[in-house]
Structures are given as structure tokens and as C-alpha cells.
Amino acid sequence: MSIDKDQLLDFLAQANSDAEIVELDLETRPRGLADREAIESLAQTYVEEQSKHWPELAGSGLVPAANAQQLAAMAVPFDRAYVSGNLPIFDNTSLPDGVAVGAAYMRYSDANSNPRSLNQQLVNILRGAARDRMFVPWEYVFADAAKTGTNGHRRGYQLVKQLISRVTYPINTVYIDELGRASRDQIESLNLGRLIESTGKRLVGVTDGFDSSNAMSKMMLSMFAMLHELFVDQLREKVDRGMKDAFKQGKPLYQPGYGYSLVPILGEDGNPVLTGDGKIIQQIVINEEEAAQVRRIFSLFIKEKQSPQRISRLLNREQVANRSWTGTQVRMMLSRPMYDGREPWGKTTKQVDPDTGEVKTLKLSEDKWQWRAMPHLRIIDADQWLAAQARLSDLSRAYDVKDKSVSRGEANPKRLFNLVCGKCGSQMWSNHGGDRKVVVCYKGRDGSGGCTAHASKTVKQIEESLLNHILMQYSSETFVDELLTAANAALMEIASEPIVDVEPVRQLLTKKEAARDRLLRKLESVEDDGMLDKVFATVAKLEREIVEIKSTINQSRIDQSSLTPMQHDDLVALIGSLRDLLYEDVSLAGAVLAVLTGPVKLSQGEPLPGKRRPKWTAEFTMNHAKVFVEIARQRNCPSTDTWEFLSSRSWTFGEAATVDIRMITNAERIAKAAAEMVSAGSTHAMAAVALMVDTETVDTAIRHWEAGRRCYLPPKDLTFRRELPASKVAALADEVVRLVDDEGLSFIAVATKLETTPQVVSRAYKQRKLDETIELAKEGKTVTPPPRLRLSPETHARIRELLIAGGMSYRAIAREVGCDHHAVSEAHKRMKKANAA
């Protein structure tokens, strides 16, 4: 018995299709496959129409009943064939004699089209097939939904072409509603005609009258193909023209990005304004809630130097907008011109590979973009926008292996300082040493490139050692005098130079501004889109030139002004502003510190005596002139112009510094505060309570201070402050305060009641009133409980009522409540103290 080759291939294809059915994920429907509801509706149309044309087959396996169960069952093989690309098998042996088999193909091109279009096309096709006495089985009904006819790589269309080429279980005719449903590409249409002819099949367009069996079919096919392609070209041109006009008029062309919303335009009657076809006209407005997050993202990126990935993790933790954020999305937001009040259009174009059908999106160069000004939609001011674009550019260069002009540590700082290895000059990378952050040179760790710096160091020790050195420098009166003398000497030298004539530059500025203004006045009369783009580009160029000329004039104006010497008090205030910045928020000082120190070289030396770990030192050069420009700008100091002027003349004032990296102890941190308290008359025990340490730490702190060992780190950064050793104090604190303040008991009485000592009660009371304890300790005083109540709470409440009512003396109130007038006087003092607090 011989086996037909094509039958064997079809059998294997069907077997593979059945085997893969379990693995196919029909929930993830490929583009072009209509949804399940639309497929079941198409199946119902098929059953109803075929029952009319083939009543003898109604209710059979060929034309089943139109119930929900049958329709759902018909949708399954339709989906399976579309997803797998494997043709189904139809056995024509059960058809009546003289009835041939045909196939149907339908398509609509746009997601906004009516999905019922497939049903309407199927009705026409089945009617035409029945006239030819041609039966179209459900297995041979194919369709593509929301797929353009300009691309022949459509799954439903490719299934039809496979069916045409198949030898076994052959079909006679392929029916389409009209030739454009098969293809609107001239070459693809001609290829389809050639396939039909070579396989001896027939192609029929039931509404446009095309029939490949007609003698004139080749000429008709060529004409139809040409007309269909011409129709698409004209349609594309109309759409493009309409989009350009809408863009020019400021209409929304797409769903706006995060930070904006589409809202209806309301008429005078308060109802939405409608177009001629009844659609609501909408406009883009700022969504204030989302805009606040946009401003926050820009602030995190610019001021706190956080990376897009780190910002996305923060937004995900906070579940902002109930969406999933990625670093790429944040980076795209940071470069979205709409936030700057400008909107581009035509940034990309699509390109279709004629052989594979793959659609690629190509980004066009900026000179081909179209722009429109949308100042009412600006969320980010110009300075922030430019700062964000500059940092994005730095990040791009930092992560480009071919560009070494910006390091990753400089562009995306995760630490206060840009740390580099003192051995090989490589970037020091963050790592984890247990629960502590450390930095390490990966080359030294791996022993590559000849680097021997293999050890790691905690980030906290490095940053605190460097910050302490910098703050110590700015706390020195000698430094202030030296800086003041050097700056004023530079000003005197520059003042003696010849004055620059800026009149020619002023004239050039006037001409540029006049040219810009003329172009802006012409914008309203320009109708040609190409000319409009050129005008925008010219205006932008003039704006840049005007900014540069103004900068030159401003600088020259400073040159020509009388340069007054800097004052000592102004410089002290500026240095104080820098210290305040470091004290208030060290993270915001990152930009200042980067300018001040530049790259910091970390070196590993020999271990100290009795130690195993190497000694670490940091080397850097402090550029004070540049840092004062930065801090003066941030704080809007009066001397900002002078510092900028000196910096523009390349004047510098700096020195090389070498700092030992070590752990700064808690005793060093509190030394100044402890010394002030003890000097004011407080005991060491009282200072210990106020500073939340034990007396031994206070003793050590005082010795540090007396030996001249200073710590200049902000007091609020006492991160190593440890808990009090007596946990019982913290446990009793709330009850102690209640018994003393509310019930008027003495420390001894409270101690008796709580079965503890008066010393524990006193410490717990002072610890709970920590702010008051610290302030009094600085004055050499101690916290004392309020006067003890000698009367019942009810009697005191009645005394307070009479005192508030007024009009009665202490003695009269005493007679009223039955107490001594001294008790009334004490109650009045307590009231005054409570009111003052």
C-alpha cells in the first residue's frame, strides 16, 4: 500500500497541532486575532447563513445548531489555527454529490473599525459561494482583525495562501468580499494572482466583480491592485495632512503622558462642545496631583542626584499612581519636552521589511521633528529642565565605554564624595560588609592591573572623617583671614586693568533681539508646515545667541563697576551658610562637596601598631573659590556676583589635604555639648541624662575637649548614640511622669509606689522630659517636678474654676473651698506655668 506524501505531511501537521494545543496560551491573543466574543458572533453568522443556503446540511456536523455550546466549540479550532499557523483538516466526503469546497477570507484594517465588518463580509461571501454551488466549511473561514492590507504578513492571510498551495484536501475557490481585503499592496496582489494561476485555483471578489477565471482577470487584477495602492497612498497623505493641521492648531493627537489629563471643552451652557459628527472635543490640562510627582522626580534626580532606577524603586515602594515604575520610564519622563512647555511630533517613522513583514520603528533626527509651543502645560521651570538634560547627558557619557570624560561616580553619585583608588585611580565601588556599606577597588580585590588595594572601608567612616576635616577648616578664624586677604588682593589687581568697551556688544544684542521679535510676529501668518519648522529653529538659535551675549555684557558690567573689597562679616556669613547647609541636610550638599574636593584618592597603608587592618588616608585638593560660587548661588548671598566674577577670571584658592580615615567616637561627638553643660554648672550625671549616654562617656568627652580634640560634625547626626543601660528607666518613664505631674506625688512617694529607688525615678522623669532637660543642663540647672498637691484633685479643680471666673481674692476662694489661702496662691502659680508652657 502506497502512502501519498502530501497526505502524510498533512497528517503530521495535524498531529503536531493537536499535541501543541495544551501549550498554546490563547489568553495572550496575537495581534490580528479577534477576541473570543467576536469569533463566536462570526460563528453564529456562519451557521445562520449556511442554514439558509444549505438547508439539507442544517443541524449536521457540517452546519451545527446555533446554540452557545456549539458556537464556543467552533471558536476553539479557529483560535488554534490562527495561533499555531497549522491548517485544519476538512473531510469533504460527507458533502452532497456535485458540491465543491471553497474558502473565505475577511479583514478589516483599523482597531476603530466596526468589528461586525467581518460578519458583513462573511454574509456576502457565503451568498456568492452558494450561487456557485460551492460549500465553504467553517474550517476554511479565515480572518484578520485590525490588520493593514499593506502588509502581506498576516496570519489569517498566510493560512489562506497555505490552503491554496495544498494538494491534499484541495479547495476549488477562494472568496473575498473585494480584492482590497486580500491586499492593498500592488506587488502582493500580483503575487496572489500568480499563486492562484499556478495552482489552478479560482479567486472571486463577490462585491467588486473580480473573477480569476475571467479572460480579462489579469488586466483587472493589475488595475485593481494599482487603484488599491493609490487609495492607500492618498489616505495616508490625508491622514498625515489632518494630523499636521491638528498639531498646528494645538489639538491633542494622542493620550497625554503622566502629569496631564484629557478633559472635555465646555461651552457657555456648561455642556461639552461636540464636533460635527457628535464627538466630544477634548483638551490637555495639567493633572496637579501627578504634576506634583513629576516635580518631585526632577528634584530627586537633580538635587539629590538619585538615579532613575533608584527613583523607580522609591515610587514602587510608595505605590505612586498604583502602577509599576521602571528606570527606563523615569528616564523617558526626565527627557519629555512637554514638561518644559514644548511638544514635538513626527519623532519616528515606521519601516516594513517586504520579505519578513517585520515592522521597525525608526527614530528621526531632531531637525525633522515638528514643534509647537505649549507654555500653559509647562510643569518644570527652564533651569530645572536644563539641569536635568545636562545630568542625563553626563549619565549617557559616563556609561559609554568609549567616553571617559565623566566617571560613573561623578554622574550618578551614591555617596557624598567621588572616591577613587589611590593605587590605580579606578572608581571605588559600593559593596556590603555585613550590615554596613563599604567601598572597595574591584581591581585591587581581584588583583588585576597590578593594583594591591584589596581591603574595604566603611562609607560612614570615610564620609564622617572628610566632613569633620572640612568643617574644621571652615571653623578656623585663620582660614577666614587668609581667604579674605587673597580674595581682596585679586579684586584689587583686576580693578587696575583697563575697562572693556561693551558698546559694540550691546548693539549686536539689539539687532539679535529685533530679528527674534520680527520672526515671532510672523509666526501667526505662516501656514506652510515646513516653513514653520524653519522659523522655530531660527528663533531657538537666536535665543541661544541672545543668552550668550547677555552673559558677556553682564560679565563686562561687573568688570566696569567699582569693585569693592569683601567684608569680613560677609565672608563669615557665607562660611556659616556652608556649615548650615552641611548641618541641615548633608545629601543636598553633595553638589557643593563634589566641587570642593573633586575626586578623593583613598590609599591603604601599613596597619597601625597592634592592629590587623591597614591604615586608610584620603588625599584631595580643596578648591574654595568654586565652592563659594556654588554655595552663594544656593543661598542667594549678596556676594554671589563677586564670587562668580573671581571664578570667571580663573582665580583659585585651595590647598592639598591629607585626612586619616578613622571612626569618630560618640565621646568626641558630644564633647562640645558636654563641656558646655558642665561649664554651666551641671553635673556629669545631669549631662549624661541630657545626652542619653552614661557618665563614663561624659567623662571621656570632657577629657577630649580639654585636650583640644574637636569634632565638628552636626550634633543631630549622633547615629552611634546608644540606649541607656538601665532599661528599667525607659519602662517606668510614662508612669513616673503621670504620678508626679498629674497626682502630685514626690519622687520618694513614686519610688515607694513603684518599688524602686528615688534615683531611678528622678532619671526616668528627666529622661522623658529630654528637651527641657537639655536646655536646663546648658544653663547649669536641672528639671524639677511641679509643687506637690496638698489638696484633693476635686478641690484643686474648684479653685481653678474660681480663679478663671475672677472677682475673688485668694482668701475669699480659700473660705469658699475650705482651705488655706497659701494653697490657692500655689494653684494660681501652677496655672500660670501651665499656660506659659
Side-chain angles (χ1 to χ4, degrees):
M1 177 180 176
S2 63
I3 300 178
D4 185 86
K5 178 182 177 182
D6 290 321
Q7 286 182 327
L8 178 60
L9 291 177
D10 282 336
F11 174 80
L12 292 176
Q14 179 65 23
N16 289 335
S17 176
D18 293 339
E20 292 173 357
I21 185 172
V22 178
E23 301 176 5
L24 294 176
D25 182 10
L26 296 182
E27 295 299 322
T28 307
R29 306 179 74 80
R31 184 181 175 187
L33 176 60
D35 59 42
R36 178 57 67 89
E37 183 179 355
I39 299 301
E40 292 183 5
S41 173
L42 191 67
Q44 183 174 359
T45 298
Y46 173 86
V47 171
E48 292 174 352
E49 288 297 314
Q50 292 292 66
S51 296
K52 295 177 186 177
H53 304 311
W54 305 91
E56 67 274 22
L57 301 179
S60 68
L62 297 176
V63 184
N67 57 57
Q69 184 177 2
Q70 287 287 355
L71 297 178
M74 293 173 70
V76 172
F78 188 98
D79 287 348
R80 184 187 306 154
Y82 199 96
V83 174
S84 66
N86 295 322
L87 281 172
I89 298 297
F90 172 69
D91 184 4
N92 62 359
T93 56
S94 56
L95 283 176
D97 293 338
V99 177
V101 178
Y105 175 73
M106 299 87 65
R107 178 188 64 82
Y108 66 85
S109 60
D110 189 82
N112 294 321
S113 301
N114 182 8
R116 292 285 300 174
S117 173
L118 297 180
N119 300 61
Q120 296 161 5
Q121 294 175 52
L122 183 60
V123 169
N124 294 337
I125 288 172
L126 295 179
R127 187 179 300 152
R131 285 197 300 265
D132 295 341
R133 197 63 181 166
M134 194 79 59
F135 181 76
V136 178
W138 174 248
E139 289 83 353
Y140 292 165
V141 174
F142 305 99
D144 285 301
K147 295 286 283 186
T148 177
T150 59
N151 186 349
H153 295 269
R154 290 164 269 132
R155 294 196 183 190
Y157 179 67
Q158 291 297 325
L159 285 171
V160 172
K161 293 178 69 174
Q162 286 185 47
L163 186 61
I164 294 171
S165 302
R166 196 166 69 176
V167 177
T168 57
Y169 303 103
I171 59 168
N172 182 281
T173 305
V174 175
Y175 290 90
I176 51 180
D177 186 49
E178 48 93 11
L179 195 61
R181 297 295 178 181
S183 177
R184 293 196 184 275
D185 178 79
Q186 186 175 3
I187 295 178
E188 179 59 34
S189 295
L190 296 177
N191 286 336
L192 177 62
R194 179 178 296 177
L195 178 65
I196 288 290
E197 182 182 18
S198 64
T199 56
K201 304 297 193 304
R202 179 181 172 218
L203 179 66
V204 174
V206 294
T207 59
D208 62 7
F210 178 81
D211 190 335
S212 63
S213 63
N214 191 301
M216 301 293 290
S217 64
K218 287 187 177 181
M219 185 177 69
M220 290 182 63
L221 179 63
S222 299
M223 292 178 59
F224 279 150
M226 181 180 64
L227 290 173
H228 286 312
E229 186 163 322
L230 180 61
F231 167 77
V232 171
D233 291 341
Q234 291 177 338
L235 180 62
R236 186 180 291 119
E237 184 179 349
K238 289 179 181 178
V239 171
D240 189 55
R241 186 170 63 246
M243 294 284 282
K244 286 182 178 179
D245 183 64
F247 183 78
K248 183 178 177 181
Q249 296 181 31
K251 296 179 180 179
L253 301 180
Y254 40 76
Q255 186 69 27
Y258 187 78
Y260 303 97
S261 300
L262 275 178
V263 299
I265 297 177
L266 303 180
E268 295 180 357
D269 57 357
N271 294 321
V273 179
L274 305 179
T275 62
D277 56 358
K279 293 183 179 180
I280 296 176
I281 301 177
Q282 294 182 309
Q283 63 180 342
I284 303 175
V285 298
I286 294 177
N287 183 319
E288 291 300 337
E289 182 179 352
E290 293 182 356
Q293 290 293 344
V294 172
R295 296 186 187 98
R296 180 192 179 201
I297 289 171
F298 271 79
S299 178
L300 291 171
F301 183 71
I302 299 168
K303 294 184 178 179
E304 299 191 21
K305 305 297 183 184
Q306 294 194 20
S307 67
Q309 289 75 17
R310 186 177 176 186
I311 294 173
S312 68
R313 288 195 295 268
L314 174 64
L315 298 176
N316 286 325
R317 282 198 306 270
E318 297 179 356
Q319 297 183 343
V320 173
N322 293 320
R323 55 181 279 188
S324 178
W325 296 84
T326 66
T328 300
Q329 290 172 343
V330 172
R331 191 178 295 105
M332 291 175 65
M333 287 179 64
L334 292 166
S335 59
R336 184 170 293 157
M338 181 74 90
Y339 296 142
D340 187 40
R342 301 174 299 119
E343 184 180 12
W345 184 68
K347 296 169 60 176
T348 60
T349 186
K350 294 187 181 299
Q351 186 180 76
V352 181
D353 189 316
D355 296 325
T356 65
E358 181 183 359
V359 180
K360 294 182 179 180
T361 299
L362 304 178
K363 186 174 181 179
L364 300 176
S365 58
E366 288 196 27
D367 60 328
K368 295 182 180 180
W369 297 1
Q370 296 186 49
W371 291 88
R372 64 183 178 188
M374 309 287 280
H376 62 290
L377 296 179
R378 170 174 280 174
I379 294 177
I380 302 300
D381 62 50
D383 291 341
Q384 280 189 304
W385 173 258
L386 293 175
Q389 303 321 298
R391 182 155 187 254
L392 284 172
S393 177
D394 286 345
L395 285 174
S396 178
R397 287 187 289 131
Y399 285 85
D400 184 354
V401 295
K402 298 180 180 179
D403 191 343
K404 300 299 182 182
S405 60
V406 179
S407 71
R408 295 187 184 183
E410 292 172 322
N412 191 18
K414 297 180 180 179
R415 302 180 294 267
L416 290 179
F417 299 93
N418 180 24
L419 307 176
V420 297
C421 177
K423 291 285 186 181
C424 64
S426 300
Q427 191 79 39
M428 299 288 282
W429 295 99
S430 296
N431 210 327
H432 285 278
D435 58 351
R436 301 172 302 168
K437 285 187 177 181
V438 300
V439 291
V440 64
C441 175
Y442 283 169
K443 287 186 177 180
R445 184 196 64 179
D446 300 335
S448 63
C451 184
T452 58
H454 62 279
S456 62
K457 195 65 174 177
T458 61
V459 174
K460 190 170 190 63
Q461 287 189 25
I462 296 170
E463 293 185 344
E464 288 186 343
S465 297
L466 295 175
L467 279 174
N468 192 54
H469 177 85
I470 292 169
L471 288 171
M472 177 184 67
Q473 185 92 33
Y474 289 134
S475 299
S476 168
E477 187 64 29
T478 303
F479 169 77
V480 175
D481 292 338
E482 291 176 353
L483 177 59
L484 185 66
T485 301
N488 284 334
L491 289 172
M492 291 294 292
E493 181 180 350
I494 295 171
S496 63
E497 296 177 356
I499 297 177
V500 179
D501 182 13
V502 296
E503 188 57 33
V505 183
R506 292 182 189 277
Q507 294 176 2
L508 179 61
L509 174 63
T510 302
K511 291 181 180 179
K512 295 285 185 181
E513 290 179 332
R516 177 201 60 189
D517 295 340
R518 284 196 302 272
L519 287 174
L520 290 175
R521 285 193 296 269
K522 289 183 178 180
L523 279 177
E524 295 181 0
S525 60
V526 176
E527 296 183 357
D528 180 71
D529 294 328
M531 182 61 67
L532 189 63
D533 294 339
K534 292 180 180 178
V535 173
F536 267 122
T538 305
V539 170
K541 180 182 178 182
L542 286 172
E543 283 287 356
R544 290 193 296 270
E545 293 175 351
I546 288 170
V547 170
E548 292 177 2
I549 295 172
K550 285 183 176 180
S551 176
T552 302
I553 293 175
N554 290 335
Q555 188 59 60
S556 298
R557 184 184 298 119
I558 297 175
D559 290 352
Q560 294 172 328
S561 66
S562 56
L563 297 174
T564 57
M566 283 190 183
Q567 301 300 313
H568 180 275
D569 291 344
D570 291 340
L571 184 54
V572 170
L574 186 61
I575 293 175
S577 296
L578 176 57
R579 286 201 305 267
D580 290 342
L581 179 64
L582 295 176
Y583 276 80
E584 290 169 6
D585 193 338
V586 178
S587 64
L588 295 180
V592 176
L593 293 172
V595 173
L596 174 63
T597 65
V600 177
K601 292 183 179 180
L602 291 178
S603 300
Q604 305 171 25
E606 295 298 323
L608 294 172
K611 303 288 185 179
R612 292 185 304 166
R613 297 184 178 276
K615 177 184 176 182
W616 286 71
T617 56
E619 299 177 31
F620 55 94
T621 299
M622 298 178 71
N623 191 332
H624 302 290
K626 286 188 176 182
V627 80
F628 282 128
V629 173
E630 189 70 29
I631 189 62
R633 285 173 180 165
Q634 290 192 17
R635 294 305 176 92
N636 294 318
C637 295
S639 57
T640 302
D641 289 342
T642 306
W643 283 109
E644 288 181 342
F645 169 69
L646 286 172
S647 180
S648 69
R649 289 304 189 94
S650 301
W651 179 80
T652 59
F653 184 82
E655 60 185 84
T658 302
V659 178
D660 290 338
I661 305 302
R662 63 183 183 84
M663 184 181 73
I664 298 177
T665 65
N666 198 25
E668 291 177 83
R669 293 169 177 273
I670 68 169
K672 181 180 179 181
E676 289 177 350
M677 292 178 183
V678 172
S679 177
S682 293
T683 63
H684 286 206
M686 181 66 185
V689 172
L691 296 171
M692 297 178 65
V693 296
D694 51 36
T695 54
E696 184 179 350
T697 303
V698 172
D699 295 341
T700 305
I702 298 298
R703 289 196 297 271
H704 280 316
W705 186 260
E706 291 174 347
R709 195 170 188 179
R710 302 288 189 261
C711 177
Y712 298 89
L713 293 177
K716 68 178 183 180
D717 281 346
L718 301 181
T719 52
F720 290 115
R721 181 183 284 171
R722 58 192 177 85
E723 297 293 332
L724 290 172
S727 59
K728 187 176 182 180
V729 171
L732 297 176
D734 289 337
E735 182 65 9
V736 166
V737 171
R738 188 188 69 80
L739 293 174
V740 173
D741 287 355
D742 296 344
E743 297 190 11
L745 300 182
S746 65
F747 286 169
I748 296 176
V750 173
T752 302
K753 187 170 184 176
L754 298 179
E755 298 180 349
T756 186
T757 64
Q759 289 78 13
V760 171
V761 172
S762 174
R763 189 177 184 88
Y765 186 82
K766 296 171 183 176
Q767 190 67 68
R768 182 59 68 206
K769 295 178 176 288
L770 184 60
D771 292 338
E772 185 180 353
T773 300
I774 293 174
E775 293 304 317
L776 290 173
K778 291 178 180 178
E779 301 174 5
K781 300 178 182 179
T782 185
V783 175
T784 57
R788 187 163 58 92
L789 294 173
R790 294 187 294 174
L791 303 172
S792 66
E794 293 78 11
T795 302
H796 274 279
R798 178 58 179 160
I799 291 174
R800 284 194 294 271
E801 291 177 4
L802 296 175
L803 287 171
I804 293 172
M808 295 179 66
S809 66
Y810 289 169
R811 292 183 183 277
I813 294 175
R815 287 193 297 271
E816 175 72 21
V817 300
C819 70
D820 186 82
H821 70 277
H822 295 294
V824 178
S825 176
E826 289 180 4
H828 200 187
K829 291 178 182 178
R830 292 169 64 91
M831 284 177 57
K832 290 180 178 179
K833 185 176 180 181
N835 292 334

